[in-house]
Amino acid sequence: SVLTEPKWFKGTLEDMRDVRRQVASMERRPAVLRKDFLLDEYQIYEARVYGADTLLLIVAVLEEDDLTALIKCSRSLGMEPLVEVNNDSETKIALRAGAKVIGVNNRNLHSFTVDANTTEDIMATNREELEKNDCMLCALSGIQNRVDVQRYQVLGVETVLVGEALMRSADAARLIRQFRGFDDTVLVKACGFKDVEGAIHAAKAGADFIGLVFAKGSPREVSIEGARAIIDAIRNKKCHAGASTPLLKKKKARSPLYFC
């Protein structure tokens, strides 16, 4: 999400172009979103020329007919816009205009106060209509940590837009991992495996440690040969923490899988 509004937010179109250049060579690059007060079709074309994959349309600053026209213009260029709302009436306008990706701004643009319940309230009031129109709902503003993300996931929100928390973070990359549930400071151990199949299943499910029990007489006792078979199988499949599939050579493991 790149601010391009120059007067109040000190952004430029060149900033967006630079961002696009930085991510252009990534194998699975993130989409580039133009964040601005867009009022005219010219700005839609402008966004595309400067590298945007999508853009922000704010219901509060647009007439309904203009919103509908800008959505159609954006789609004609292969961009599905993020349509921002802050209350129930704006949500209904967005739905009538044909929006498919609706972002609920928890920050009121008039008072700049943040109310995390805004997304929840809009979801509760408009859930049936959102599902009927196959809309994706996004939560915008006020997302500070993984707990906030999980709260919105439970509600059925499919994505979040985070800006300020990343700008203030001393380690933005780590914060992104935390938002996604890949926090390296939280490790999981699965213990007591006696066979290769069970250990591999645990590793693929996200275990950071595999525990093997050698205590004589324990119902979970594993022989030295059995333990070696488990260790070799895990390493041969290149399983790693947090993986749902074996590690591909081109991907970087979050951390190795440990045995204890």
Side-chain angles (χ1 to χ4, degrees), residues 48-228:
R48 197 56 158 157
V49 168
Y50 277 83
D53 297 293
T54 184
L55 45 86
L56 183 71
L57 298 176
I58 305 173
V59 173
V61 301
L62 292 166
E63 297 294 333
E64 185 170 337
D65 288 346
D66 293 332
L67 174 63
T68 303
L70 292 180
I71 289 175
K72 290 179 178 178
C73 179
S74 180
R75 286 176 180 158
S76 73
L77 299 177
M79 299 186 292
E80 185 63 46
L82 172 62
V83 179
E84 179 183 311
V85 302
N86 178 252
N87 54 51
D88 185 57
S89 62
E90 291 179 1
T91 304
K92 287 178 168 51
I93 291 172
L95 288 166
R96 288 198 301 267
K100 290 297 184 182
V101 184
I102 297 178
V104 180
N105 195 345
N106 295 311
R107 178 177 284 110
N108 186 299
L109 294 180
H110 300 286
S111 64
F112 284 94
T113 57
V114 175
D115 181 359
N117 293 319
T118 304
T119 298
E120 182 175 353
D121 294 342
I122 287 177
M123 188 64 158
T125 306
N126 298 277
R127 183 182 297 274
E128 184 176 342
E129 197 68 17
L130 289 165
E131 292 177 353
K132 176 183 174 182
N133 289 277
D134 193 28
C135 293
M136 175 186 288
L137 198 69
C138 314
L140 321 177
S141 299
I143 295 95
Q144 300 294 325
N145 50 50
R146 176 65 183 166
V147 174
D148 293 333
V149 173
Q150 290 173 316
R151 173 188 177 183
Y152 291 127
Q153 282 182 313
V154 170
L155 296 174
V157 174
E158 296 184 66
T159 186
V160 296
L161 191 151
V162 181
E164 183 178 345
L166 289 174
M167 296 298 292
R168 293 180 180 275
S169 174
D171 189 342
R174 181 181 179 187
L175 184 59
I176 290 172
R177 291 196 300 272
Q178 291 174 347
F179 280 133
R180 299 180 65 198
F182 300 146
D183 183 359
D184 290 338
T185 63
V186 180
L187 302 177
V188 176
K189 173 186 174 183
C191 192
F193 294 98
K194 299 175 65 175
D195 59 81
V196 169
E197 183 180 0
I200 289 178
H201 181 76
K204 289 182 178 180
D208 298 282
F209 299 90
I210 291 293
L212 303 173
V213 177
F214 297 100
K216 294 294 183 182
S218 169
R220 296 183 294 174
E221 179 187 358
V222 64
S223 66
I224 297 297
E225 294 76 14
R228 174 54 60 190

